[in-house]
């Protein structure tokens, strides 16, 4: 049967992202997820929170029932 695939239209980090380079981050999510690549999308800490910035996803990997995305942060909104 396999796992369902979820379509995501924003990056929800829940604070789990790791910095690879200055503006490049990696994030692992449970399950298999589709993300738009090469177009700017919102980055949020939670689905309900305000947008914390804009990023472009460069790479999506599916492995071991996880999705790992590598994205470049284009802009950061100041959070209070």
């Amino acid at each position: 049967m396999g796992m369902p695939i979820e379509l995501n239209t924003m990056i929800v980090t829940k604070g789990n992202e790791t910095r690879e380079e200055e503006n490049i981050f990696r994030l692992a999510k449970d399950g298999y997820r589709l993300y738009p690549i090469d177009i700017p999308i919102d980055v949020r800490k939670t689905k309900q929170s305000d947008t914390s910035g804009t990023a472009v996803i460069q790479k999506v990997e599916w492995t071991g029932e996880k999705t790992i995305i590598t994205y470049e942060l284009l802009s950061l909104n100041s959070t209070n």
Side-chain angles (χ1 to χ4, degrees):
M1 188 158 96
M3 275 189 128
I5 287 187
E6 184 178 310
L7 176 61
N8 291 183
T9 55
M10 68 177 94
I11 299 169
V12 180
T13 65
K14 296 184 180 159
N16 295 326
E17 71 276 22
T18 57
R19 186 187 293 262
E20 298 282 292
E21 295 169 42
E22 190 173 350
N23 291 328
I24 307 291
F25 293 84
R26 261 169 78 98
L27 176 67
K29 304 286 277 185
D30 288 335
Y32 296 125
R33 296 160 187 256
L34 288 172
Y35 285 90
I37 292 181
D38 292 338
I39 62 164
I41 62 173
D42 280 358
V43 181
R44 298 181 184 202
K45 191 151 186 134
T46 68
K47 274 186 185 157
Q48 288 75 32
S49 66
D50 289 337
T51 299
S52 54
T54 305
V56 169
I57 297 175
Q58 298 172 331
K59 186 164 70 168
V60 176
E61 302 166 79
W62 290 336
T63 179
E65 298 188 354
K66 285 192 181 309
T67 301
I68 300 164
I69 61 171
T70 304
Y71 61 93
E72 180 181 4
L73 203 56
L74 303 178
S75 67
L76 194 61
N77 299 349
S78 59
T79 52
N80 295 331

